[in-house]
Amino acid sequence: MPPPSTTPPNQGEPPIGGTPGNVAPSPVVRDRGDACPGALRLHTADDGRLARLRLPGGILTNRQVEALAVAAERYGDGHLGITSRGNAELRGIGDHCGNGLAELLRHTALLPSERHERIRNIVASPLAGLDGQGHGSLHPWLRELDALLCAQDWTTALSGRFLFALDDGRGDVTGLGGDVTLVAQGDGVALVRTGAAAPLRVAAADAPRAALAAARAFLAAAGAAGTGAWRVRELPPGHEVDLAAALAHAGIPAEPAPVRPVLRTPPAPAPRPGIAAGPDGTYAVLAAPVLGRVTSTQLRALAGPGGEIRITPWRGFVVPGFDERGARRRLGELGDAGFITEPGSPWSGVGACTGRPGCAKALADVRRDALPGTGGLPAADALPVYWSGCERRCGHPHGDWVDVTATAGGRYTVTARSGTEERQLPYREGDLADTIARARGGRR
């Protein structure tokens, strides 16, 4: 049986059901606080307690990778799950293991602020500074924004779902539904926007402060709306974020962006498994775990010569710092360890929620049903397919994807989602695999 997927119940996030694409139902009215789990606030599931660890930009040191492997073995079920925001999850945590887990995280700088740990949601272009595309490293932005978030008392009012997206200019994370998005433009300029609104141009050096000001402006708009909104897209009409005023109040010069090439075009594709060459002669290894979950042994196998590992928002890993020979050798080793190391793998692009038996709300064992031969399609350009145990579709991809959702009748619905459009595909008994293959873009 494949290892289980990683995403727990939505815990109040609006479901897609009845709404095309990734657009949340409107208007959204919240009558309670966000119960999103964290490293300290654990969620109780059918397979034990669950901790979600925020990892800004998905960046880990080798020492932190070892700490997570130890945490999985000592406190969890021996696995680490990867989320669609490049964060990590531990499942199967015992009732009395929370304090030990928190102490381990503190000692390895994975828990820099207990009060802010759930709001450190920052995705970033995973190949930034490694392959010669985009506008260089995002590490300075990541470090400064994370420090700013943890230094303010008011930021604790942000939801555990509020998302910052930092793009190096290639456009890979601009389509991930960020509440605040920063895009590097080169020549010392950056774009900043909230939700899907028009962006403003600021100096690249001011970008992290601009993101912080945008988040504060969202809280002001949400407070004025009185609907308890957790995300920018949930704000009702007439209560939009006033980004220009927020930047002016923060003393950050800004102007309207004359063009929006990165923000208007379709998002760049996720990086594919393999190796990526950099302009400095170094190479990065790209691999992904099956259904977004690794064993502690697999996790240790990722440690690289550069001392850094990056988790991607597509549930993959980037390990930089190799020469070409070393990169190819490591890629082979990771393939032997059970990772997806080439786009043609039958697991490539296949995801699933936790399903039965880990989730009480699931209507099917989607991890079992997602086995290759059931819905796999070994084609590098195929749409991703995501198996969901119920209509909440926890952890589903962004953009275009094939939605396979369990129903109470013991069957699945198969829906091709593209932008704001959706098309449900009927199928006969025994024809599910071929139907999914057609929806993904071709026949096997």
Side-chain angles (χ1 to χ4, degrees):
M1 177 183 294
S5 185
T6 61
T7 308
N10 262 5
Q11 309 216 11
E13 188 77 20
I16 297 176
T19 304
N22 296 318
V23 181
S26 182
V28 174
V29 178
R30 303 288 188 190
D31 58 3
R32 61 175 179 82
D34 173 29
C36 195
L40 302 178
R41 178 188 289 181
L42 306 186
H43 167 71
T44 300
D46 276 15
D47 56 353
R49 305 179 83 191
L50 176 148
R52 183 177 299 159
L53 318 179
R54 269 61 174 192
L55 309 172
I59 295 177
L60 294 166
T61 65
N62 284 349
R63 180 169 176 260
Q64 290 171 330
V65 168
E66 173 61 25
L68 291 178
V70 170
E73 294 168 339
R74 185 179 299 172
Y75 304 114
D77 63 4
H79 297 79
L80 186 78
I82 307 304
T83 78
S84 59
R85 292 183 168 190
N87 292 322
E89 289 181 351
L90 294 167
R91 298 189 71 96
I93 299 172
D95 290 341
H96 305 292
C97 294
N99 289 337
L101 173 61
E103 192 63 22
L104 176 61
L105 298 177
R106 290 188 196 98
H107 281 307
T108 50
L110 289 167
L111 192 59
S113 171
E114 296 186 5
R115 295 181 60 235
H116 300 82
E117 59 99 4
R118 292 192 314 129
I119 57 98
R120 300 170 66 231
N121 288 305
I122 309 174
V123 297
S125 301
L127 287 175
L130 297 180
D131 63 351
Q133 300 184 35
H135 297 289
S137 173
L138 294 173
H139 280 39
W141 280 4
L142 281 168
R143 286 193 293 265
E144 185 176 352
L145 178 56
D146 190 27
L148 288 170
L149 287 171
C150 292
Q152 306 294 324
D153 289 333
W154 61 264
T155 55
T156 59
L158 292 170
S159 160
R161 308 171 196 274
F162 193 88
L163 180 64
F164 297 88
L166 277 54
D167 195 294
D168 69 349
R170 74 184 66 209
D172 58 347
V173 302
T174 56
L176 297 185
D179 295 284
V180 177
T181 301
L182 298 179
V183 183
Q185 293 287 279
D187 299 324
V189 173
L191 301 183
V192 57
R193 74 171 180 186
T194 56
L200 296 177
R201 297 204 323 168
V202 299
D206 290 333
R209 289 198 305 121
L212 188 74
R216 189 162 199 168
F218 160 76
L219 288 178
T227 58
W230 294 342
R231 308 289 307 276
V232 168
R233 67 171 183 251
E234 295 176 357
L235 292 171
H239 292 277
E240 292 76 16
V241 176
D242 191 343
L243 180 59
L247 296 180
H249 181 75
I252 300 173
E255 61 183 15
V259 292
R260 295 185 287 164
V262 174
L263 297 178
R264 277 181 172 168
T265 57
R272 295 177 176 177
I275 63 172
D280 60 354
T282 64
Y283 290 76
V285 171
L286 290 79
V290 172
L291 294 183
R293 195 160 169 89
V294 290
T295 65
S296 57
T297 300
Q298 288 177 315
L299 191 60
R300 290 187 173 100
L302 290 166
E308 177 182 285
I309 294 171
R310 303 182 185 184
I311 301 178
T312 80
W314 300 276
R315 297 184 171 93
F317 294 96
V318 177
V319 188
F322 294 92
D323 59 25
E324 183 176 7
R325 183 177 179 182
R328 295 192 183 282
R329 181 171 60 249
R330 177 59 64 85
L331 190 68
E333 293 169 350
L334 293 179
D336 292 341
F339 284 90
I340 302 167
T341 56
E342 55 184 42
S345 165
W347 284 110
S348 185
V350 179
C353 72
T354 298
R356 289 180 177 173
C359 176
K361 296 185 181 295
L363 301 173
D365 185 349
V366 291
R367 294 165 290 158
R368 177 200 62 202
D369 295 344
L371 280 165
T374 305
L377 180 66
D381 58 350
L383 290 176
V385 56
Y386 196 79
W387 296 69
S388 299
C390 73
E391 65 178 8
R392 293 172 306 157
R393 299 170 174 87
C394 300
H396 67 82
H398 290 267
D400 299 343
W401 53 288
V402 178
D403 173 10
V404 185
T405 304
T407 68
R411 288 173 57 86
Y412 286 93
T413 60
V414 180
T415 305
R417 297 183 180 274
S418 177
T420 59
E421 298 180 357
E422 57 182 48
R423 176 172 57 91
Q424 186 165 324
L425 283 74
Y427 67 92
R428 298 185 301 272
E429 191 71 29
D431 189 35
L432 179 60
D434 287 337
T435 301
I436 295 172
R438 290 197 305 272
R440 295 193 75 188
R443 293 182 177 272
R444 290 165 297 167

